Amino acid sequence: MNLTSPPPGGDALDLTLVHREPLAEDVVRLTLAHPRGERLPAWSPGAHIDLMLGPGLVRQYSLCGDPADTSRFQVAVLRERESRGGSQYAHHTLAEGDTVRVSSPRNHFRLAASPRYLFIAGGIGITPILPMIAAADRQGADWRLVYGGRSRAGMAFAEQLTREHPRRVDLRPQDETGLLDLDELLAGPAADTLVYCCGPGPLLDAVEQRCASWPEGTLHIERFRPKEGADDAPAAGFEVELSRAGITVTVPPDKSVLQSIEEAGVSVLSSCQEGTCGTCETAVLDGRVDHRDSLLTPAEQACNDTMFICVSRAAGPRLVLDL
């Protein structure tokens, strides 16, 4: 089987699925390699790639292998209970030997240097955290992982992590220990410590609330789905000037900047259409942005120099973009 339609974002690579293996209940690891053995693009902990899993099924998955190994990409896919088609395809249709079109890696969840880390993972959110732990170890940093899941059987990499780091890893299966005690875990800012968290939306929201009083830049999160209410505000029309194209486009209330630009004949790379993947990031040259993405921190949004045009809008009558 060859899935060769180009993904919406990034430079495309046609890779071969060389190995698939179950990691946990409802979780499978996919290993992809170049069919001619060529080196794959470099990536850093926290990066993700787009996989085209079928017609119209472009999904983002965090890389969970070793960044030093340029011979393969590895992702872990959870079979979601309310799948939109991607995870079901990965679990039930995709087979070893199939060709999959893949984007180059992108990273909006980079691991910053720090003497100490607190990693918090929920379910399949362990995938971007795994290479971060390896990097922290290589740096000689002090770190702790608190890893929660519905049950031990469904927690990918749990056995590996507890075997390799028995004193640093705290497994919290919900059916055994209940929900993570975030009040205790995040009771107050820890000196020289960065917090990295990935998992379901309710966990991320709860961690954000408890870290609100921590120093700015302490908390780093990555979402698989848009933040609750991120795009609920009323929308008004406005104009967007594309500085390089030399045209001005009117964006009506019922369309995104991305849709309006594409309808004007200007091609822009995009993927998730939800403000989570980062593919459509665009530099802002003038005007104020109504940020509705689930990627930028409040400080990054306040800089007003970039936006994700699939969801974010103008906070005034006009924007000038570097397009």
Side-chain angles (χ1 to χ4, degrees), residues 28-308:
V28 63
R29 176 163 54 190
L30 308 178
T31 300
L32 300 140
H34 197 282
R36 296 187 299 276
E38 296 179 11
R39 294 176 61 181
L40 300 181
W43 60 279
S44 56
H48 67 266
I49 55 175
D50 292 349
L51 267 63
M52 181 167 184
L53 299 173
L57 289 177
V58 180
R59 299 290 184 264
Q60 292 78 41
Y61 296 104
S62 297
L63 290 164
C64 59
D66 179 1
D69 184 357
T70 59
S71 69
R72 60 184 181 173
F73 286 157
Q74 289 187 320
V75 298
V77 181
L78 169 68
R79 182 170 52 204
E80 300 184 31
R81 296 178 180 181
E82 298 180 2
S83 173
R84 296 173 295 166
S87 70
Q88 292 292 335
Y89 194 98
H91 276 259
H92 299 297
T93 305
L94 201 59
E96 291 181 4
D98 285 354
T99 299
V100 184
R101 181 151 282 196
V102 178
S103 74
S104 291
R106 296 187 302 276
N107 199 342
H108 289 274
F109 192 42
R110 294 183 181 276
L111 184 69
S114 178
R116 297 180 185 84
Y117 300 96
L118 171 60
F119 298 112
I120 304 173
I124 199 63
I126 190 62
T127 51
I129 300 296
L130 200 67
M132 290 184 178
I133 286 173
D137 246 10
R138 287 193 299 270
Q139 296 166 10
D142 186 17
W143 62 268
R144 178 189 178 194
L145 168 67
V146 180
Y147 178 15
R150 289 193 181 94
S151 68
R152 191 177 297 267
M155 298 172 68
F157 304 108
E159 183 179 343
Q160 171 189 334
L161 285 164
T162 53
R163 182 180 67 252
E164 295 177 354
H165 311 286
R167 298 180 180 178
R168 296 181 183 267
V169 174
D170 187 359
L171 295 185
R172 301 285 184 87
Q174 185 177 338
D175 61 350
E176 298 176 24
T177 63
L179 294 173
L180 298 182
D181 188 349
L182 298 179
D183 289 330
E184 177 185 357
L185 188 62
L186 302 169
D192 299 321
T193 300
L194 295 182
V195 180
Y196 279 79
C197 180
C198 187
L203 170 64
L204 300 183
D205 293 341
V207 169
E208 275 192 320
Q209 291 170 5
R210 287 158 178 81
C211 287
S213 62
W214 289 41
E216 185 176 316
T218 296
L219 176 62
H220 302 259
I221 64 175
E222 183 171 56
R223 294 180 181 271
F224 297 128
R225 295 285 183 268
K227 189 174 182 178
E228 187 76 23
D231 197 26
D232 287 350
F238 54 94
E239 289 188 340
V240 172
E241 178 185 338
L242 309 182
S243 64
R244 283 187 278 134
I247 63 173
T248 297
V249 176
T250 298
V251 181
D254 61 342
K255 291 186 179 179
S256 68
V257 176
L258 176 64
Q259 289 172 317
S260 301
I261 289 174
E262 290 182 331
E263 288 177 2
V266 178
S267 179
V268 182
L269 293 176
S270 65
S271 182
C272 72
Q273 313 285 313
E274 297 179 329
T276 58
C277 77
T279 306
C280 68
E281 184 172 9
T282 302
V284 177
L285 303 180
D286 193 28
R288 294 183 300 111
V289 181
D290 174 10
H291 292 284
R292 302 187 179 195
D293 64 273
S294 300
L295 281 162
L296 298 177
T297 66
E300 290 169 336
Q301 291 180 348
C303 290
N304 205 67
D305 58 1
T306 190
M307 69 182 292
F308 298 96

